Amino acid sequence: MNILHISAECYPVAKVGGLADVVGALPKYQQALNIDSNVVMPFYNNKFSNNNEFEEVYKNTLVLGEQVHGFRILKLTNHSLGFNLFCVDVPKLLFTEYVYSFDDTERFLAFQIATLDWVLTLENKPDLIHTHDHHTGLIPFMISESLKYKSLKTTPTVLTIHNAQYQGWFSHDKISLIPAFNTNKIGLLDWDGAINPLASAIKCAWKVTTVSPSYMEELKQNANGLENLLKHEAAKCIGILNGIDWNVWNSETDNYLIKNYSKTTRVEGRKANKKWLCEKFNLDKNKPLFAFIGRLVGEKGADLFPEIFKKALEENDISILLLGSGNKETEEELKKLLETKNYNAYIGYDERLSHIIYAGADFLLMPSRVEPCGLNQMYALRYGTVPVVNAIGGLKDTVIDIENRGFGICHNKVSVADVTNSIQRATSFYKNTKKFLNNSKKIMTIDHSWDNSAQEYINVYKSLKK
Ligand code: ADP
Ligand code: GLC
C-alpha cells in the first residue's frame, strides 16, 4: 500500500509545533510496518533546504485564479528521514523563511494545486492521500469535485485534525482560486458564510481522525464553531492517540543533552542537565525546577503565566524556566518578570534547549485550555520529568494524577488558583525524595512509542481500500 501524507510541516525539515513531529515520525513507523508511506510538503527557504540535496522530479506551471506560477517537485536525495520526502517549490509564494504568514490562503492553495497536478502525472499513484489540518484541507474537495482531478476521484482521503481552533477561513471572493468545479457543490466548501478548508475536509474526506480519543469527544462540544458538523459526521470520525519518535526522543542517545542517561543512571544524568540549565539561567539547582515549553497562546493558558508565576514563586520555594514565543503582549509581560528572583525565560525557539529542559526540569507545566494531544507531556515522561497538566484532550488520555495511583499532577480548570494549587502539590511531592525518584523511573517506562498508533492508522487505511 502506498500512502502520501500532505502537510505544511515535517520534522526535521520545518517545524512550528507538534504537527511537524507527527508528520516526521508517523510515515517512518508505517514504513517499518511495510506500508510505503511518504511525505509531500512546501519547499521553504530554511536551514534544511539549504543544507540538503534535492533532485527535480517534475516541473510545470500552476493556475491560481488569474495568476500562473512556475513550480517544481523536488525529492530529497538522501534517505535520512526513513521515507521519501517531496517538496513543492513555488518560488514566489512558498520559498520563505517562515512556515506561516498573512497570505496563507494563496500559499497553501498553490501548494495543494501543485501537489495534485503532479500526482495526476504519476504512474504509480498513491493508494490513499492523508491530509493534515486546514492547510491541506481543500485536497479532499478538489479530488472529489474539481473537474481536472476527476481521475483521482476514487482515491480515498483521510484528514487528521491536529487542531480545530485554526480552520483556514477565507472569503467567497477568492473562490476562483480553487480549480473549476460544479458550482452546485459549493456547500461542501462553505461553513457559516465563509470558505472553510477544515470544515470542507471534514465533509469530503472519507475518514476523519484526530490526535486523541478525548479530543474527539470534546470536539462535539467545543470545536470553534464546527461542533454540529462533527456531531453530524461522527460515524466517520475516530481519535487515535499520537505517539512519540523513540529514535529522536531517547535520553540514552539524544545528542542535544548535556549528559545521556538510562532508567538506571537517571538520577545522575538528570542532575547534570539540571545543573547546566540552572547555571545558564541563573537559577538555584537545589530548588524544584518547573518549566514550560511551547507556543505562548491562549490555548496553552499563556496569558495567565505572569500571574501564575508571580503567585507560585511567592508561595513556594521553587524556580521557573520558560521557553516559548507567540503572543507579543504575553512575551512583553514575561520579559518584565525577568527581574523576579528564581525565574528566567528564553523568548524564542530553540530545539536543543527544549531537549535539555525535558531532561533537566523536575516538572513540566501544561495548563492548556485546549490540547488535542500534546507531545510535550510525553517527551517529559520519557525523560523522567513529571507533567503538571490541565486534564483535557490528550493530556487527559496520557497523565494520571498521583492521588489516583498515577504519576503526574492534574487539575480540572485553568485558573491562577488551580494551577498554583497544582504547583504546591507538586512541590510537596518533590520533598518526598524517595517517592519522587521512584516515580521518575516509573514514568520513563510508559510506552508512548508510535508502534501501536501507526498500526491503528493502517487499519483505518485498510478499511477504506478501493
Ligand atoms: P503544539 O503543536 O500545539 O504547539 P505539541 O505539544 O503537540 O503542541 O508540540 C509542540 C512541539 O513543539 C514540541 O516538540 C515542543 O518541544 C516544540 N516547541 C514548542 N515551542 C518550542 C520552542 N519555543 N522551542 C523549542 N521547541 C518548541
Ligand atoms: C497540534 C495540537 C497538539 C498536538 C499536535 C500534534 O498542534 O495543538 O496538541 O499534539 O498538533 O498532533
Side-chain angles (χ1 to χ4, degrees):
M1 205 179 195
N2 160 1
I3 307 297
L4 191 61
H5 289 270
I6 311 184
S7 170
E9 301 178 34
C10 174
Y11 180 83
V13 189
K15 167 168 167 177
V16 175
L19 169 64
D21 292 11
V22 171
V23 177
L26 176 59
K28 192 160 63 180
Y29 283 78
Q30 292 181 331
Q31 288 277 356
L33 294 168
N34 289 326
I35 296 290
D36 187 15
S37 187
N38 301 298
V39 173
V40 55
M41 68 181 297
F43 192 59
Y44 301 112
N45 182 7
N46 63 16
K47 221 162 134 188
F48 190 94
S49 311
N50 295 320
N51 293 344
N52 284 277
E53 259 185 46
F54 293 81
E55 63 170 306
E56 181 182 303
V57 294
Y58 184 71
K59 190 176 177 177
N60 208 336
T61 52
L62 68 89
V63 178
L64 186 66
E66 288 174 1
Q67 296 174 22
V68 177
H69 290 272
F71 77 93
R72 301 182 301 159
I73 305 290
L74 305 174
K75 182 180 178 194
L76 181 68
T77 52
N78 68 55
H79 294 283
S80 57
L81 300 183
F83 49 82
N84 288 325
L85 176 77
F86 299 95
C87 292
V88 176
D89 183 25
V90 186
K92 287 209 183 113
L93 289 173
L94 293 174
F95 195 63
T96 47
E97 283 163 23
Y98 43 80
V99 172
Y100 303 117
S101 174
F102 65 94
D103 55 347
D104 281 350
T105 297
E106 287 76 9
R107 296 173 73 232
F108 289 112
L109 253 166
F111 167 55
Q112 296 172 87
I113 293 169
T115 300
L116 291 185
D117 284 0
W118 165 61
V119 168
L120 268 185
T121 69
L122 292 174
E123 216 169 284
N124 181 17
K125 292 200 176 36
D127 294 314
L128 183 144
I129 289 184
H130 191 153
T131 64
H132 296 265
D133 271 352
H134 71 85
H135 328 101
T136 57
L138 293 172
I139 297 258
F141 174 83
M142 292 199 279
I143 286 184
S144 71
E145 305 303 336
S146 285
L147 307 173
K148 82 195 252 211
Y149 303 127
K150 221 159 102 195
S151 63
L152 299 175
K153 206 175 164 81
T154 53
T155 307
T157 48
V158 172
L159 160 74
T160 294
I161 304 174
H162 294 263
N163 197 331
Q165 293 301 109
Y166 309 98
Q167 300 171 7
W169 316 262
F170 60 92
S171 141
H172 278 269
D173 299 347
K174 293 192 178 181
I175 194 82
S176 64
L177 299 179
I178 301 174
F181 57 92
N182 177 346
T183 48
N184 290 336
K185 297 296 173 103
I186 192 129
L188 292 172
L189 291 169
D190 180 276
W191 191 256
D192 227 2
I195 308 282
N196 185 320
L198 189 69
S200 170
I202 295 168
K203 294 179 196 182
C204 299
W206 293 29
K207 191 93 186 174
V208 176
T209 75
T210 189
V211 289
S212 71
S214 286
Y215 187 56
M216 190 79 257
E217 284 313 303
E218 288 165 11
L219 280 175
K220 293 177 197 154
Q221 311 308 325
N222 176 13
N224 206 4
L226 302 184
E227 301 78 13
N228 286 338
L229 176 60
L230 283 150
K231 277 187 214 158
H232 181 73
E233 299 287 0
K236 69 172 182 189
C237 294
I238 178 177
I240 300 178
L241 190 68
N242 283 334
I244 60 173
D245 189 341
W246 282 35
N247 300 320
V248 176
W249 298 95
N250 181 343
S251 58
E252 293 186 51
T253 54
D254 186 337
N255 286 331
Y256 286 137
L257 299 191
I258 301 305
K259 191 175 168 118
N260 290 109
Y261 59 93
S262 65
K263 281 187 282 293
T264 41
T265 60
R266 74 193 183 285
V267 177
E268 288 316 305
R270 290 177 45 75
K271 214 185 229 175
N273 286 287
K274 181 174 179 181
K275 182 167 175 273
W276 184 91
L277 286 173
C278 290
E279 280 169 6
K280 186 167 170 70
F281 289 98
N282 195 24
L283 300 168
D284 182 347
K285 67 177 189 322
N286 297 313
K287 297 185 197 299
L289 177 59
F290 288 77
F292 171 84
I293 301 170
R295 297 180 292 119
L296 298 175
V297 294
E299 282 165 58
K300 304 283 179 192
D303 49 303
L304 297 182
F305 287 174
E307 261 195 85
I308 291 173
F309 294 171
K310 258 187 264 168
K311 188 162 190 285
L313 287 164
E314 270 164 27
E315 292 175 353
N316 306 279
D317 194 19
I318 61 171
S319 314
I320 298 180
L321 176 61
L322 172 137
L323 165 62
S325 62
N327 181 287
K328 294 298 157 208
E329 257 174 58
T330 308
E331 286 186 2
E332 280 317 307
E333 281 193 59
L334 289 166
K335 279 185 199 159
K336 272 191 227 149
L337 213 66
L338 284 173
E339 286 151 25
T340 315
K341 223 172 146 226
N342 299 321
Y343 160 79
N344 212 334
Y346 178 89
I347 304 294
Y349 188 94
D350 188 329
E351 188 72 28
R352 174 168 193 237
L353 181 57
S354 76
H355 284 237
I356 303 173
I357 294 177
Y358 290 120
D362 296 297
F363 297 96
L364 188 81
L365 295 169
M366 294 185 77
S368 307
R369 293 186 176 100
V370 178
E371 197 60 86
C373 179
L375 299 170
N376 299 16
Q377 79 280 13
M378 296 198 259
Y379 298 147
L381 291 167
R382 178 87 173 121
Y383 280 24
T385 294
V386 179
V388 178
V389 308
N390 182 36
I392 44 127
L395 297 173
K396 187 172 166 189
D397 293 344
T398 52
V399 183
I400 305 173
D401 194 276
I402 45 172
E403 297 293 316
N404 295 328
R405 288 201 255 146
F407 45 81
I409 311 276
C410 302
H411 46 95
N412 291 304
K413 227 172 72 206
V414 180
S415 70
V416 175
D418 284 281
V419 180
T420 49
N421 180 45
S422 284
I423 294 178
Q424 207 160 42
R425 285 176 57 218
T427 310
S428 309
F429 183 41
Y430 177 84
K431 284 183 188 147
N432 187 338
T433 311
K434 192 163 172 231
K435 217 167 156 189
F436 185 74
L437 292 180
N438 280 342
N439 188 64
S440 72
K441 183 173 181 187
K442 175 167 151 188
I443 58 186
M444 285 178 75
T445 59
I446 299 173
D447 183 355
H448 281 303
S449 75
W450 263 110
D451 298 330
N452 295 335
S453 303
Q455 183 60 51
E456 274 194 69
Y457 277 106
I458 293 172
N459 297 346
V460 167
Y461 302 157
K462 289 193 171 154
S463 74
L464 300 177
K465 220 168 158 191
K466 286 181 269 181

